[in-house]
Amino acid sequence: DGDDKQEKKRQKQLKEDARPSSQKTSVGRGQGENTQKPSATQMLRAKGGRSTTISVMLPASIIDNCQSFELKAVLVGQIARALTIYGVNEVVLFEDRFDTAWSDDADNASRSMAFFARNLQYLETPQYLRRQLLPVHKDLRHVGLLSPLDAPHHLRKYERLPYRDGAVLGKDKAPAPPEDAEGPGVWVNCGLDEPVWVSGQEIPSDVRVTVRFEEDSTGDSAASSGGGGRGGGKGRGGGSKGGPQPSRGVAVSPREPTTRMGIYWGFQTRIATTLKAVFEECPYEGGYDLSIGTSERGESLGLSGLPRFKHLMIGFGGLGGFEEVIADKLSGYAPGTNASKLFSRYVNVCPRQTSRTIRTEEALLITLAALDPLLP
């Protein structure tokens, strides 16, 4: 009897091993659920459009606090992951030290600023566009250490959405225009087997664009199906498998996937030469209507809700806080300016800390995690 039980157990295990990995189940708690490589596929599903934006401002000097280029790269990677996880739309890097070393190959930027911006932009760019858009640079020599962002706009070849980011191909690398093309247009590399014809305008080569695929390219509406394919079949990562990817589209604003479908579409990196320029050069009409500065000298967060806003800015100071940033001649503000007056709220997000310091990347995660349940 014991031998029969062992044989049945062995046969059952052989059958389980022969099943596709997507159908295998876990044992113990959660039995019966697919636990193979969990994936937040809901981020690729169409939701209500979102017009509000979340911005974060960070000082360039935090890069100088790292002892090696490897640690600098890892720091940027941690920050980029936090920005992506919590759906930040814009990150503003500002110069906060007049006595810093200045870059020899970037205009009006310190070495730390140039390193910070290059690595952030590298990580935010979809993998299939990096070779075309990002030239080889010494600041990027440690990007292999960094974890990928796995953001919604970093689509795999088999994933299907109404939108994709692409880069315009030069005429020497692009095929001839389609025979039935009407008016101007360009071929765009969207990470698919074949380039996509984007009609309506001439765009210079090697420019990154967001492409909305035309509904009649495959005879069905990708937008109305929320990214699913014909028959509603779901592929890995929430996109659909099967059926050709639309081969024609139009160039749209990078904000459109978010404003129309509520899908997060990465963050823009903006460089500000001074702290004051963070606010004065805001790209949004009307500026940031709600701003939150973080400091150990701020009041306790104590929020049960946030005021209604269109554009939220969350600020983080340098190693000595915003007070030290303002005291530097590069801030753009008069010495002695009250840092708390620059923001709608000036808060301490971790008043019960039991370490002498909280690093910027830690404060970023703490703040975004605390505010996330309160955001629209």
Side-chain angles (χ1 to χ4, degrees):
D1 291 343
D3 292 341
D4 290 342
K5 289 182 179 179
Q6 289 293 333
E7 180 62 20
K8 289 180 180 179
K9 185 176 181 180
R10 189 178 72 85
Q11 292 295 334
K12 183 178 180 180
Q13 184 61 47
L14 288 174
K15 289 181 180 180
E16 178 69 15
D17 292 341
R19 295 170 66 189
S21 61
S22 61
Q23 298 178 9
K24 293 181 181 179
T25 58
S26 62
V27 295
R29 190 168 62 178
Q31 189 169 5
E33 297 178 0
N34 178 15
T35 59
Q36 297 294 316
K37 196 175 182 181
S39 177
T41 56
Q42 71 274 8
M43 71 181 184
L44 294 178
R45 296 173 186 161
K47 301 174 279 291
R50 180 170 66 86
S51 59
T52 58
T53 64
I54 304 169
S55 300
V56 165
M57 56 189 288
L58 296 166
S61 65
I62 62 174
I63 299 298
D64 291 332
N65 198 40
C66 299
Q67 287 75 32
S68 68
F69 282 101
E70 291 89 344
L71 292 176
K72 291 179 182 182
V74 170
L75 171 61
V76 178
Q78 292 173 328
I79 289 173
R81 287 281 301 169
L83 297 174
T84 303
I85 289 170
Y86 288 102
V88 173
N89 306 107
E90 179 196 35
V91 55
V92 187
L93 311 179
F94 65 94
E95 299 283 11
D96 59 312
R97 289 182 56 185
F98 179 78
D99 60 349
T100 189
W102 293 89
S103 174
D104 53 5
D105 60 357
D107 295 336
N108 298 321
S110 63
R111 291 180 185 173
S112 54
M113 173 70 80
F115 183 94
F116 205 165
R118 284 193 181 102
N119 280 268
L120 275 181
Q121 290 170 340
Y122 178 92
L123 288 168
E124 194 277 337
T125 301
Q127 296 92 322
Y128 55 84
L129 297 180
R130 289 171 181 168
R131 179 173 293 183
Q132 180 180 351
L133 296 180
L134 302 173
V136 175
H137 194 278
K138 61 183 180 181
D139 285 348
L140 300 175
R141 62 183 180 269
H142 297 299
V143 292
L145 299 173
L146 309 183
S147 300
L149 301 189
D150 235 359
H153 66 299
H154 289 199
L155 291 166
R156 279 69 165 171
K157 185 182 295 186
Y158 53 77
E159 290 177 330
R160 177 96 173 266
L161 276 181
Y163 300 91
R164 263 185 182 265
D165 272 3
V168 178
L169 294 173
K171 293 183 178 180
D172 57 328
K173 299 180 181 179
E179 294 181 359
D180 58 346
E182 298 180 359
V186 292
W187 287 105
V188 177
N189 167 28
C190 288
L192 303 170
D193 291 325
E194 300 294 336
V196 176
W197 177 254
V198 173
S199 59
Q201 57 183 311
E202 290 283 352
I203 306 174
S205 61
D206 298 328
V207 171
R208 179 173 165 181
V209 295
T210 299
V211 176
R212 182 179 71 234
F213 294 111
E214 295 178 353
E215 295 181 5
D216 58 358
S217 294
T218 57
D220 67 325
S221 170
S224 64
S225 63
R230 296 178 185 175
K234 296 288 183 181
R236 288 176 288 177
S240 70
K241 296 174 66 176
Q245 175 75 31
S247 59
R248 300 194 182 195
V250 294
V252 298
S253 165
R255 286 282 298 156
E256 186 172 305
T258 304
T259 56
R260 287 187 59 174
M261 299 181 65
I263 298 176
Y264 177 64
W265 211 250
F267 55 82
Q268 298 284 333
T269 301
R270 177 163 69 91
I271 293 176
T273 55
T274 65
L275 174 61
K276 194 172 186 178
V278 172
F279 299 99
E280 291 186 341
E281 298 172 4
C282 174
Y284 305 118
E285 184 177 355
Y288 304 109
D289 52 341
L290 178 62
S291 57
I292 299 176
T294 62
S295 170
E296 64 179 12
R297 289 170 282 277
E299 60 183 338
S300 179
L301 182 59
L303 292 176
S304 58
L306 286 176
R308 294 176 65 89
F309 66 88
K310 293 182 179 179
H311 307 293
L312 168 65
M313 167 59 78
I314 307 170
F316 299 86
L319 299 178
F322 279 109
E323 290 77 11
E324 186 177 89
V325 174
I326 291 173
D328 192 279
K329 64 174 66 176
L330 203 60
S331 72
Y333 291 102
T337 299
N338 189 338
S340 64
K341 301 301 181 183
L342 304 181
F343 302 94
S344 308
R345 289 286 306 274
Y346 198 56
V347 300
N348 183 350
V349 295
C350 191
R352 300 181 63 183
Q353 70 185 69
T354 51
S355 172
R356 290 186 180 89
T357 58
I358 295 180
R359 296 174 61 88
T360 303
E361 67 272 24
E362 296 165 347
L364 176 64
L365 272 173
I366 293 170
T367 304
L368 292 175
L371 294 177
D372 184 64
L374 310 176
L375 296 173

